[in-house]
């Protein structure tokens, strides 16, 4: 194999972003992806003329991912979905108070609850996150929100923005920031699904000179004397390289690095709290109840959104809707979850079964491998693995306060910058 300055493991959005950044700094980069396509959890599946993301995906317009993708020239076309919709409370659909006027007439809240909700929404962007330190979301909400119904709605907004219902572990600062991002700048549903991001990143990577090797499953990261020596591939081949960015999960990194129990990789694995979800994704000839596009469960952890109201996702006019059941950490009951999502669809759109042209059920997909949470340690994983020179990590779990794709983009940027800087410093030392 030709000599490379760096290898990036994993061809998801983390790996693509990291590889582009390193290649743009003039380094020779190889991207190793075990499957036959890049994109990882960011792909969209084409079925019967419809494009289905792996569960509902939205990009936060005020976040790090949006900024990084724009900086690389990725065109993000699509629409900002309206948040006018309903909630489900005690199995009944109730209009969602999406603006102050509707809030005043809503039957959901008492008069004092309405006042409290209004004040809460106004305050969100002004809270000083630094002062919240390690306060959990529940601790913050129980201290700050008096009205139980307002607290229910607040937790629902938090869940929708973060995919997590880990109230006792989520750090209030990061969740409040994410909710504020979604309210302030909104999210974007992308034309062509998230596949449009993946396709453009793949093209940019190739144009920057990144070698993309598919079907290359990394079986171990070789290191000796405290420094990376290369990566072993499943084929038995050894790729000699001094710098590696791994975008795999904390448990995969632990498995791939010999002696990982003596490194910080062990803590990253043991501390991680993966968020999973059950997703029901449908393409429909028409939506039985026109205008019923956005629904959040309040007393059940479920969510429905018609993505076609904001983005072009099919060639033939079919409507793409995504439903999610948010799992608690470790929760896994695919049969019950599919039933719950089917029941939601029956409540929202009676007769929907006759309209289905494509369907995808993902029983328990990992949304993120970890997220900022209360922990025994300072929980800011990466970018470097301090015990092994030349090894860096990125991915949705390697967050320094960001969430979801914003953590992906921010961590890929951190890993790439540190790798570039250390490569330059080594070169300077050799030149001296
Ligand atoms: C249902 C769902 C909804 C989501 N919604 C949102 C949202 O609305 N907004 C948002 O910002 N984010 C959202 N996300 C999160 C976002 O999709 C992910 O965080 C992001 O796609 C992860 O990218 P990644 O590159 O870190 O990991 P992955 O996409 O998992 O990429 C890892 C890659 O590594 C490859 N690989 C694994 N092992 C090896 C090996 N040994 N050797 C070589 N290659 C290997 C895999 O095949 C894969 O391609 C959602 C995720 C899910 C699942």
């Amino acid at each position: 194999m030709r000599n490379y300055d760096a290898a990036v493991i994993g061809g998801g959005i983390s790996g693509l972003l990291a590889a582009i950044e390193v290649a743009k700094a003039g380094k020779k980069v190889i991207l190793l992806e075990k499957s036959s396509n890049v994109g990882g959890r960011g792909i969209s599946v084409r079925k019967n003329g419809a494009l289905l993301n792996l569960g509902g995906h939205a990009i936060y317009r005020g976040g790090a991912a949006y900024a990084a993708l724009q900086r690389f020239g990725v065109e993000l076309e699509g629409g900002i979905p309206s948040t006018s919709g309903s909630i489900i409370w005690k199995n009944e659909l109730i209009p969602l108070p999406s603006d102050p006027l509707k809030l005043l007439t809503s039957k959901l809240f008492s008069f004092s609850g309405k006042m409290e909700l209004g004040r809460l929404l106004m305050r969100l962007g002004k809270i000083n996150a630094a002062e919240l330190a390690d306060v959990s979301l529940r601790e913050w909400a129980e201290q700050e929100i008096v009205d139980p119904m307002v607290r229910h709605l607040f937790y629902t907004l938090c869940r929708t923005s973060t995919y997590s219902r880990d109230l006792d572990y989520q750090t209030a600062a990061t969740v409040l920031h994410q909710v504020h991002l979604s309210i302030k700048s909104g999210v974007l549903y992308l034309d062509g699904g998230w596949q449009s991001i993946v396709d453009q990143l793949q093209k940019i990577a190739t144009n920057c000179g990144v070698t993309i090797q598919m079907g290359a499953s990394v079986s171990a990261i070789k290191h000796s004397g405290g420094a990376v020596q290369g990566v072993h591939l499943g084929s038995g081949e050894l790729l000699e390289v001094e710098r590696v960015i791994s975008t795999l999960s904390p448990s995969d990194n632990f498995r791939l690095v010999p002696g990982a129990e003596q490194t910080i990789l062990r803590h990253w694995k043991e501390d991680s709290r993966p968020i999973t979800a059950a997703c029901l994704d449908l393409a429909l000839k028409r939506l039985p109840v026109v205008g019923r596009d956005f629904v959040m469960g309040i007393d059940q952890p479920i969510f429905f959104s018609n993505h076609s109201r904001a983005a072009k996702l099919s060639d033939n006019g079919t409507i793409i809707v995504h439903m999610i059941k948010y799992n608690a950490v470790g929760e896994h009951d695919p049969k019950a979850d599919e039933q719950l999502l089917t029941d939601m669809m029956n409540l929202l759109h009676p007769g929907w079964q006759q309209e289905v042209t494509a369907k995808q059920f993902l029983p328990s997909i990992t949304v993120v491998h970890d997220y900022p949470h209360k922990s025994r340690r300072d929980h800011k994983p990466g970018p470097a693995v301090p015990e092994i020179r030349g090894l860096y990590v990125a991915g949705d779990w390697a967050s320094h306060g960001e969430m979801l794709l914003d953590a992906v983009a921010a961590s890929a940027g951190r890993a790439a910058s540190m790798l570039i800087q250390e490569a330059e410093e080594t070169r300077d030392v050799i030149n001296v």
Side-chain angles (χ1 to χ4, degrees), residues 104-320:
L104 288 175
T105 57
S106 170
K107 286 182 278 176
L108 256 186
F109 303 99
S110 64
F111 179 74
S112 60
K114 285 171 191 163
M115 294 298 121
E116 187 172 25
L117 180 60
R119 280 195 305 272
L120 176 68
L121 295 177
M122 306 256 290
R123 263 182 74 199
L124 276 182
K126 298 181 192 137
I127 294 163
N128 184 354
E131 281 172 13
L132 294 175
D134 217 15
V135 175
S136 78
L137 182 60
R138 194 192 301 278
E139 285 164 343
W140 186 86
E142 298 210 341
Q143 172 87 29
E144 300 290 328
I145 307 174
V146 178
D147 188 290
M149 200 62 206
V150 173
R151 218 183 286 148
H152 278 311
L153 181 67
F154 172 71
Y155 284 147
T156 303
L157 293 176
C158 294
R159 192 169 65 212
T160 308
S161 305
T162 63
Y163 284 80
S164 172
R165 34 189 289 225
D166 213 7
L167 303 180
D168 294 307
Y169 281 87
Q170 287 175 287
T171 48
T174 46
V175 180
L176 289 170
H177 174 70
Q178 193 71 11
V179 173
H180 175 62
L181 264 189
S182 70
I183 293 175
K184 187 174 158 231
S185 327
V187 298
L188 195 65
Y189 288 172
L190 292 179
D191 290 345
W194 274 30
Q195 189 66 45
S196 67
I197 300 179
V198 171
D199 289 346
Q200 292 183 71
L201 286 179
Q202 182 172 6
K203 213 177 210 173
I204 295 166
T206 308
N207 290 344
C208 289
V210 175
T211 303
I212 301 179
Q213 193 169 331
M214 317 275 196
S217 178
V218 172
S219 56
I221 298 172
K222 186 179 174 199
H223 63 99
S224 170
V228 167
Q229 311 250 296
V231 292
H232 288 284
L233 300 180
S235 59
E237 196 177 359
L238 170 68
L239 168 70
E240 287 184 21
V241 65
E242 289 177 3
R243 290 172 198 90
V244 168
I245 297 177
S246 173
T247 68
L248 307 189
S249 66
S251 55
D252 280 343
N253 288 332
F254 182 80
R255 192 172 47 80
L256 294 190
V257 174
E261 51 291 338
Q262 313 301 335
T263 72
I264 192 118
L265 294 169
R266 177 164 76 91
H267 296 291
W268 291 342
K269 177 179 97 108
E270 287 175 355
D271 273 0
S272 64
R273 297 183 68 80
I275 300 176
T276 66
C279 303
L280 181 59
D281 309 319
L282 300 171
L284 304 162
K285 281 179 268 176
R286 62 176 194 100
L287 212 50
V289 181
V290 175
R292 189 168 285 166
D293 291 325
F294 177 72
V295 180
M296 298 188 292
I298 294 265
D299 49 357
Q300 298 182 79
I302 49 178
F303 175 80
F304 166 92
S305 181
N306 167 11
H307 279 233
S308 294
R309 76 188 190 281
K312 184 172 176 346
L313 291 160
S314 74
D315 301 335
N316 50 13
T318 49
I319 309 268
I320 313 306

Side-chain angles (χ1 to χ4, degrees), residues 350-368:
W352 62 277
Q353 280 98 338
Q354 281 85 62
E355 310 296 340
V356 176
T357 61
K359 179 176 171 181
Q360 167 176 279
F361 177 62
L362 308 169
S364 181
I365 185 164
T366 300
V367 177
V368 288

